[in-house]
Amino acid sequence: MSHDVKHLSRSTQAIHAGQYADEATGAVAPPIFQTSTFAFTDCAQGAGRFAGTEDGFIYTRMGNPTIARLEEAVSTLECGYGGLATGSGMAALTTTLFAVLNQGDHLVGTSSVYGPSRVVIERDFSRFGIASTFVDTSNPEAVRAAIRPETKLVFIETPANPTIVLTDITAIVEIAHEHGVLVLVDNTFASPILQRPLELGADIVMHSMTKFINGHTDVVAGMIVPKTEALFKKIRSVHFYVGACMDPHQAWLALRGFKTLSLRVLAAQEGAQKLAQWLEYHEKVEWVRYPGLASHPQHELSQRQMDGPGSLISFEVKGGLEAGAKLLNSVKLMTLAVSLGGVESLIQHPPSMTHATMRPEDRIEAGISDGLVRLSVGCEDVEDLIADLQQAFDQV
Ligand SMILES: *Cc1c(COP(=O)(O)O)cnc(C)c1O
């Protein structure tokens, strides 16, 4: 449908993938096909569409032209076979798990994955006979040790939330594939601008598009990008029926946000690098974790695996929980809110917010200390962000 963008740079692809003038009207911006169903010209056409022998749309839960553009756009940047858009990042995860796992199967996951991802696996998928083991996947040997004969999936998140610990995708893929196990990567934190797991051998990528891909803090959405046609068909057959679909208007907003993905990711990253360097020398800061700092234990891996360190920073305020709370309550320009990847800077306290549902011992195991603060650096002028944090530190 659109012109071939495969050979173009990521920033150009973000603007042009899935974007083409509307055939009927010439509209440059994509039309929003806000319809639940699509008319067939006759019974034979309807039958052909259901049988898959004829291209075309049937019903929006099973596909829609506005959503299809977004699926094409994200899948192009991720170098996948195709995309499957979902109503949220969690819907992308649960749809994928429904599709690739069966009763009696086992999965190995990153211990510090997004809190609700772990909850849905440990609390809900376990009720259907799916077992799981969460380990520190930054150590590939821990993954090897956790794999059992019934393991069918390794689920990694890198950089992981909120510890900013990295997992070596290539090393995990090698171990998993040796055992015939699929690798699913949650690429939300890096976005395809900074990291492309499918190129590193992973089988499926998922996103919470709520974060960087949409980037304007006004949409909740998700995406699944499988690497092969076989996996795409397998997951799509479940996606059709579980009802994790996206709304066309939501897709249109995400598609608009996607055009500036590269600009936003790179601008936020530039600010984050400066802010992290400033925090590292701040007298009231215990430690800073940011892959762009030489002090990050996996600084070298970040340079090898990613095209940049991104814009998420975690740090610990000296004085623990109380000092951290004082800092968070004192920021003015930054917003005290969960979520990340928007143009505005957001600051939050994972142990009492996003990761509060984890057992305290699991939090410690995952490296989420009581005073940990997570900062999602936005696209504001970094001098303004530094001034805001400084006046907040003055209150501590
Ligand atoms: C937010 C997030 C999710 C869940 O996405 P929703 O869009 O909120 O459902 C999953 N993984 C990561 C890494 C996230 O940050």
Side-chain angles (χ1 to χ4, degrees), residues 33 35 51 72 84 101 113 126 157-160 166 195 226 246 249 253 264 268 301 308 320 364 367 386:
F33 288 94
T35 182
E72 181 183 339
L84 294 162
L101 296 175
V113 281
S126 65
E157 187 179 310
T158 180
L166 271 54
Q195 177 172 277
M246 176 176 273
H249 189 249
L253 282 166
R264 289 183 283 103
L301 173 61
I364 299 305
I386 288 176

Side-chain angles (χ1 to χ4, degrees), residues 95-166:
T95 302
T96 305
L97 298 179
F98 262 131
V100 303
L101 296 175
N102 292 301
Q103 192 174 33
D105 288 350
H106 171 252
L107 83 79
V108 177
T110 301
S111 55
S112 59
V113 281
Y114 182 69
S117 299
R118 193 161 163 172
V119 171
V120 86
I121 292 167
E122 291 187 318
R123 189 195 65 189
D124 299 315
F125 278 87
S126 65
R127 295 187 289 114
F128 302 94
I130 290 165
S132 58
T133 309
F134 286 89
V135 299
D136 174 8
T137 54
S138 70
N139 171 14
E141 289 316 308
V143 174
R144 190 190 296 280
I147 289 180
R148 307 178 191 165
E150 63 274 22
T151 306
K152 293 286 153 55
L153 185 72
V154 174
F155 169 41
I156 58 180
E157 187 179 310
T158 180
N161 182 25
T163 51
I164 327 287
V165 170
L166 271 54

Side-chain angles (χ1 to χ4, degrees), residues 88-90 114 117 157 186 188-189 206 208 210-211 220-221 340:
S88 68
M90 289 309 297
Y114 182 69
S117 299
E157 187 179 310
D186 185 334
T188 299
F189 266 39
M206 63 157 277
S208 167
T210 312
K211 317 298 165 54
V220 170
L340 57 107

